[in-house]
Amino acid sequence: MKNIRVFLFIGGSVFAISMIVYFYQIFYTANILPGQNREPAVIRIPHDATIKNVTDTLQKYDLISELVPFRFVSKAMKYNENIKPGLYVLQPNMTNIEAVRYLRSGAQSPTKITFNNARTLKDVADRITPRLEVTPDEVLDAIYDKELLLSLGLDSMTVKAIFIPNTYEVYWTLSAKNLVRRMKKEYDNFWNDIRKQKAEKLGLTPYQVTVLASIVESETIKVDEMPKVAGLYVNRLNKGWALQSDPTVVFGCVEEGVVAEFTDVKRVLNKHLEVDSPYNTYKYSGLPPGPIRIPSTQAINAVLNAEKHRYMYMVASDDFSGYHHFSKTLREHNIYAAKYQRALNKARVYK
């Protein structure tokens, strides 16, 4: 009888130790990105995801060694009942308990969104959403949500100005409406007291600076020339002259449906100048009602630091360098314009 008890005790002890070792291995054995020379990996868990969605993703991208132990730990720690959406960076040789604790915490890693050289808000939405859970259409819906815009002191026209090209750190799960709110916050931070004072000295509001910057950037791709171009348009505004900017005319043609795409107008002709649009700065003096593109910070700063001179006219240089000739008088401007036209005609002959 005594031998049986000893046998049972030993057997029970061995079983208990085996179970302890087994469960220890389940919880504490490296199971995520196992092996040598593995790099951290990103996993994206969308809203409404289930534990199956999570494990399927881990398995699909070869991020996990054994699924069953991970599922067991997830259930034991009730992670399967409360899946947190987000973007998470998994480290090599994480144990199941480390991985589940991390994913269950919801402490997702940020991602970066970048947009520049964008003409429209659709361009912006298309460029940033690959790094977000939301779709371009959801972003555009939020951008033009009247209730949201009203709460931010914006409207369907002025909202375009809050998207200042830069790189922003956000969470992958950022909602479309919170994205708009974030851009408004960044816009307010950008327009600090120094920039506001510079705008005021020009007799412009921050929004008007953005509108003018969009024209300046559409006129020249040369950053070092932007302050001079800005100064020219400031001169025209101060004298009450029409800006006579070709890019605004093209924008107006697209807005009015005269042409489908901006690239459809290779050269502004008299028929384009006749289009009745508030963006036609040949017909209407002053600034157009909104930006004709999403201007860069370089263009905005170029307007704020507009060069002081007496130039009133400009025309593309006849050397096709991308720079312009600037003139104070119409007579001088016509000479440069004729030189450019001759160079253009000559270039066509040799094509």
Side-chain angles (χ1 to χ4, degrees), residues 89-101:
V89 179
L90 300 176
Q91 300 300 322
N93 295 310
M94 288 181 87
T95 64
N96 287 319
I97 192 169
E98 288 174 334
V100 171
R101 278 177 177 167

Side-chain angles (χ1 to χ4, degrees), residues 225 228-229 231-233 235-236 239 241 309-316 324-339:
E225 190 183 55
K228 183 178 285 188
V229 175
L232 184 150
Y233 283 122
N235 289 344
R236 281 182 164 260
K239 286 185 175 292
W241 288 22
H309 52 61
R310 293 188 295 153
Y311 295 126
M312 302 298 289
Y313 305 91
M314 70 178 189
V315 65
H324 293 77
H325 283 299
F326 294 82
S327 305
K328 298 173 185 176
T329 66
L330 180 59
R331 180 177 178 277
E332 184 182 11
H333 168 70
N334 286 338
I335 294 172
Y336 283 128
K339 288 178 66 177

Side-chain angles (χ1 to χ4, degrees), residues 18 151 157 261 287 316 320 350:
S18 298
S151 70
M157 188 71 72
E261 302 290 341
L287 290 166
F320 303 112
Y350 288 106

Side-chain angles (χ1 to χ4, degrees), residues 266-267 320 341-351:
K266 304 298 182 183
R267 189 174 173 193
F320 303 112
Q341 187 59 55
R342 286 195 297 272
L344 200 61
N345 292 337
K346 185 177 180 181
R348 285 174 183 161
V349 169
Y350 288 106
K351 277 187 178 180

Side-chain angles (χ1 to χ4, degrees), residues 22-318:
Y22 175 71
F23 283 108
Y24 180 87
Q25 290 177 332
I26 287 177
F27 279 84
Y28 294 101
T29 298
N31 195 32
I32 303 297
L33 295 167
Q36 299 294 324
N37 303 320
R38 298 296 298 267
E39 296 291 330
V42 171
I43 178 175
R44 293 174 177 82
I45 301 175
H47 285 82
D48 302 323
T50 64
I51 189 63
K52 186 178 186 305
N53 298 139
V54 175
T55 54
D56 284 351
T57 299
L58 291 172
Q59 188 175 46
K60 178 180 178 181
Y61 296 103
D62 191 29
L63 305 180
I64 193 167
S65 179
E66 299 290 340
L67 282 178
V68 174
F70 180 84
R71 287 190 179 122
F72 178 87
V73 175
S74 296
K75 187 172 183 179
M77 299 179 68
K78 297 184 178 180
Y79 171 59
N80 59 328
E81 299 175 11
N82 190 20
I83 306 295
K84 300 288 182 61
L87 181 151
Y88 301 91
V89 179
L90 300 176
Q91 300 300 322
N93 295 310
M94 288 181 87
T95 64
N96 287 319
I97 192 169
E98 288 174 334
V100 171
R101 278 177 177 167
Y102 173 46
L103 296 174
R104 190 182 63 172
S105 72
Q108 59 175 305
S109 297
T111 186
K112 292 181 179 180
I113 56 174
T114 300
F115 58 92
N116 50 52
N117 197 29
R119 186 183 292 275
T120 67
L121 289 173
K122 185 180 183 306
D123 293 337
V124 173
D126 287 341
R127 291 175 190 180
I128 62 179
T129 48
R131 288 185 170 270
L132 297 174
E133 187 181 12
V134 293
T135 66
D137 286 343
E138 288 172 332
V139 171
L140 289 173
D141 286 344
I143 287 173
Y144 294 113
D145 184 292
K146 291 182 180 180
E147 186 176 340
L148 176 61
L149 294 181
L150 184 62
S151 70
L152 296 174
L154 301 169
D155 57 38
S156 59
M157 188 71 72
T158 57
V159 68
K160 194 172 184 178
I162 70 172
F163 289 85
I164 297 177
N166 207 335
T167 298
Y168 301 96
E169 197 170 74
V170 300
Y171 287 120
W172 179 70
T173 52
L174 184 69
S175 69
K177 289 186 177 182
N178 282 339
L179 172 64
V180 176
R181 294 186 182 100
R182 170 66 183 278
M183 291 297 100
K184 177 59 164 62
K185 182 179 178 180
E186 295 290 346
Y187 172 82
D188 291 338
N189 291 337
F190 177 84
W191 281 100
N192 54 31
D193 290 341
I194 294 175
R195 287 193 173 97
K196 286 179 180 177
Q197 289 168 8
K198 287 184 176 181
E200 189 175 358
K201 285 183 180 179
L202 293 171
L204 302 172
T205 65
Y207 178 69
Q208 289 173 325
V209 169
T210 300
V211 175
L212 182 52
S214 74
I215 297 173
V216 170
E217 190 161 38
S218 297
E219 288 283 8
T220 180
I221 60 173
K222 304 296 185 180
V223 175
D224 60 331
E225 190 183 55
M226 287 181 181
K228 183 178 285 188
V229 175
L232 184 150
Y233 283 122
V234 169
N235 289 344
R236 281 182 164 260
L237 286 172
N238 289 339
K239 286 185 175 292
W241 288 22
L243 296 184
Q244 294 187 334
S245 167
D246 287 0
T248 66
V249 174
V250 176
F251 186 90
C253 288
V254 175
E255 286 287 296
E256 297 298 325
V258 176
V259 296
E261 302 290 341
F262 297 101
T263 54
D264 289 343
V265 181
K266 304 298 182 183
R267 189 174 173 193
V268 174
L269 304 174
N270 287 333
K271 65 178 182 179
H272 301 125
L273 299 179
E274 293 170 0
V275 173
D276 190 11
S277 163
Y279 289 93
N280 187 340
T281 55
Y282 281 80
K283 275 183 172 290
Y284 299 99
S285 61
L287 290 166
I292 62 173
R293 65 178 299 112
I294 309 294
S296 65
T297 54
Q298 292 101 319
I300 294 172
N301 288 328
V303 172
L304 293 175
N305 297 284
E307 191 175 305
K308 292 183 179 179
H309 52 61
R310 293 188 295 153
Y311 295 126
M312 302 298 289
Y313 305 91
M314 70 178 189
V315 65
S317 175
D318 57 309

